[in-house]
Every structure is written in structure tokens, then in C-alpha cells.
Amino acid sequence: MYNSKFTGTGVALVTPFKSDLSVDYRALERLVNYQIDNGIDYIVVLGTTAESATLTNEEKERVKQTIIEVNQNRVPLVLGVGSNNTQQLLTDIKSTKLDGFDAILSVSPFYNKPTQEGIYQHFASLAKVCDLPIILYNVPGRTGSNMQPSTVVRLAKEFNQIIGIKEAAGDLEQAMTLIRDTPEDFLVISGDDMITLPMVLAGGAGVISVMAEAFPKEFSAMVNYGLKRDVNKAFELHYQLMHGIQLIFKEGNPAGIKAAFKHLDLAEANVRLPLVEASKQLKTELKTFIDGL
């Protein structure tokens, strides 16, 4: 299938920082290899989890090139590209070098709180100028507005370029409505780690995960068991991972997952303001969870 490369487990990759808060490109290389070596199906570059809002344009370019070079075409790459200024987004897409990427992930316009028609027109405009497949991203907790299933269905049916949605409303009923009403080959991808397995069992295509970055083998296995309808094995892994999912989001993203990386000796726990590093208490809880797992 045209979009089967995005079935399974994708990860929203962090941007690791050194103690002086410069980008740690060596750690970034380690993280890319860690994902691929442990069974991740694809990687999302410069999404929200990457703290892309605090990266300079020069840093973004080097992050992209580093990941492309380390990946060596082993897994598909998805580039996060979004804006609440539609015209600026179109300009950025036209001027951005997309070589090395297989699709883009584009978040619903944030802060402005557009109507459903405004959201439709935003993505319709993007689909007309973007040469790569587009995965929509609905995350009301960050954008301030919810992309309704009817809007997604309209876009999915009218634009072949729009191949899926990362659905992160945390609403299983809404996810099931999307799965039911969108075209058969349209990907409904979980953007919420905690309800990934129920979404997959309901007919979803997989996940773009934060938790899977630290536990790629376990999370990928859970998703694969779910896709194969091996429910008992899938839920066994889900309940093993459940407390860890709660912990990594306890003090916000990506502070939690970076604290996990620190304990796994993959990268430092540093984040850039206005985010702050995970507390000592959370680090202790994560250490206990990781050692137990």
C-alpha cells in the first residue's frame, strides 16, 4: 500500500542538549541508531517533542541532516512542518528542502482557534503545494481547537496527498469515528501513548509515540501484537508500560522522556526554557520503573 510504511510504531524524536544547552549531535546520532536497532518503523523529525519551537533555523537544518545521514534510508522519515500562519506555512513548504523525507506531519493551526472551515481551508491549501504525503496532527491540548472527524473525513476524501492523521485528542470515541468514516487506506495513528493499543485494536494504524523512544522494543512489540490481534500478549506489554507512560508525561513533554534517556545513558536530561528539567523525585520514580522493567 502507498502508505503502509507508516503502519506500526513511529517515534517523535527529541533534540538532545548538552549542559550548555547547545544541541548534542553525538547523542542525536545515538538516539537514531537506538530507535532503528530496536525495531522502530519510522521517525518523526522536528515535531513538538523535539522542542522545535526553541531551535534556530540553523540548528533545525543540522538536526535534519544529521538524522538523514545516520538513518541511511533504513526507516522512513517524517518531517514536522506546521504553523498558525497559513501563508507562511505555504512559503516554508515551497522553500524547504524535503529530500530524505517520506512525508510531513503538520499540526492543526494553534492559538488562532479557527473554525472547522478554517482548518479545512488551511490543510487544503497545504495539500495543493506540498509534494510529499501529508499526515495531519490533531492535538487540542496544545492547539486550543479540535479538528472534528467530519473535517478530517472531508480532507481525506478530497486530497490523495493527505494520507493519515496523528490523533491526539485522547478521545477513543472520536478515534473510532475516524477509523469508521475515513477511506480504508487512510491511516488513523495514535498520538496518545496510553490509548495506543485500544486504537490499534479498533482498526488504527499504529502510533507516533514518545514512550517508545525509551522502550522501542517493548512498545513496538505491543503495537505489532495489536496489529496481529494477539490481544493477550499486547495487553501484557501495555500494562507493563502503563506506569512508565504516566511518569514520562507527569511533568510535561519532553522533560520526562529526557530523564529516562539520562538513566539509560543515551542523552542528558536538559531542556530549553520555558521548559524545565524533570524534578529529582520524578527521576527517582523513572529510575525505579526502568530498573524494574
Side-chain angles (χ1 to χ4, degrees), residues 35 68 104 124 151 176 211 267 292:
Q35 306 308 318
I68 289 170
I104 68 166
T151 303
M176 292 172 73
M211 181 69 170

Side-chain angles (χ1 to χ4, degrees), residues 4-286:
S4 61
K5 64 176 70 175
F6 306 113
T7 298
T9 302
V11 291
L13 201 66
V14 304
T15 304
F17 298 126
K18 299 177 183 178
S19 58
D20 64 359
L21 296 185
S22 62
V23 177
D24 189 341
Y25 295 100
R26 290 283 181 86
L28 183 60
E29 293 173 7
R30 285 197 299 273
L31 289 173
V32 172
N33 283 320
Y34 180 71
Q35 306 308 318
I36 298 170
D37 292 345
N38 286 284
I40 289 301
D41 296 298
Y42 61 99
I43 294 173
V44 176
V45 180
L46 295 178
T48 308
T49 304
E51 297 174 76
S52 52
T54 66
L55 298 178
T56 67
N57 288 334
E58 291 76 17
E59 287 171 333
K60 289 178 182 178
E61 286 304 312
R62 190 171 170 189
V63 164
K64 288 192 293 184
Q65 290 310 307
T66 298
I67 294 171
I68 289 170
E69 290 168 12
V70 176
N71 179 45
Q72 295 184 332
N73 294 313
R74 288 180 288 171
V75 298
L77 298 179
V78 179
L79 180 63
V81 183
S83 177
N84 60 340
N85 178 341
T86 305
Q87 192 56 52
Q88 185 62 52
L89 176 61
L90 303 185
T91 300
D92 290 345
I93 285 292
K94 292 174 184 176
S95 62
T96 298
K97 186 178 179 182
L98 296 173
D99 296 354
F101 291 96
D102 299 270
I104 68 166
L105 176 71
S106 194
V107 69
S108 184
F110 44 89
Y111 191 74
N112 310 48
K113 291 190 177 181
T115 63
Q116 294 303 304
E117 181 64 23
I119 294 171
Y120 167 82
Q121 293 293 346
H122 174 86
F123 284 116
S125 299
L126 176 61
K128 291 171 184 175
V129 302
C130 184
D131 294 330
L132 287 181
I134 299 166
I135 301 172
L136 311 173
Y137 182 16
N138 183 40
V139 56
R142 288 187 181 273
T143 63
S145 63
N146 182 39
M147 197 178 344
Q148 296 291 339
S150 57
T151 303
V152 178
V153 171
R154 184 181 174 194
L155 288 164
K157 289 182 176 179
E158 293 184 16
F159 298 98
N160 291 331
Q161 202 79 353
I162 298 175
I163 64 165
I165 182 169
K166 177 184 178 183
E167 175 56 41
D171 183 338
L172 192 55
E173 181 179 350
Q174 177 162 298
M176 292 172 73
T177 301
L178 287 167
I179 293 165
R180 182 192 66 189
D181 293 348
T182 52
E184 188 176 355
D185 62 347
F186 186 83
L187 302 173
V188 179
I189 301 165
S190 175
D192 186 324
D193 285 343
M194 191 61 79
I195 61 171
T196 291
L197 182 56
M199 280 184 63
V200 167
L201 292 174
V207 64
I208 295 175
S209 173
V210 176
M211 181 69 170
E213 285 188 80
F215 309 98
K217 278 186 178 179
E218 295 85 353
F219 212 99
S220 294
M222 181 193 75
V223 171
N224 287 332
Y225 282 134
L227 290 168
K228 294 173 184 176
R229 299 299 186 263
D230 194 337
V231 177
N232 291 338
K233 288 181 180 178
F235 271 113
E236 182 180 350
L237 284 166
H238 169 82
Y239 286 116
Q240 287 179 19
L241 294 166
M242 187 172 173
H243 184 52
I245 295 170
Q246 293 167 333
L247 289 176
I248 65 165
F249 292 108
K250 187 175 181 179
E251 295 180 6
N253 184 41
I257 197 67
K258 283 191 166 184
F261 283 146
K262 172 66 174 176
H263 184 59
L264 292 166
D265 202 27
L266 288 166
E268 296 299 319
N270 306 307
V271 295
R272 285 181 176 175
L273 288 170
L275 302 182
V276 293
E277 194 173 325
S279 66
K280 289 182 180 179
Q281 175 63 33
L282 179 56
K283 289 178 180 178
T284 299
E285 292 180 64
L286 278 165

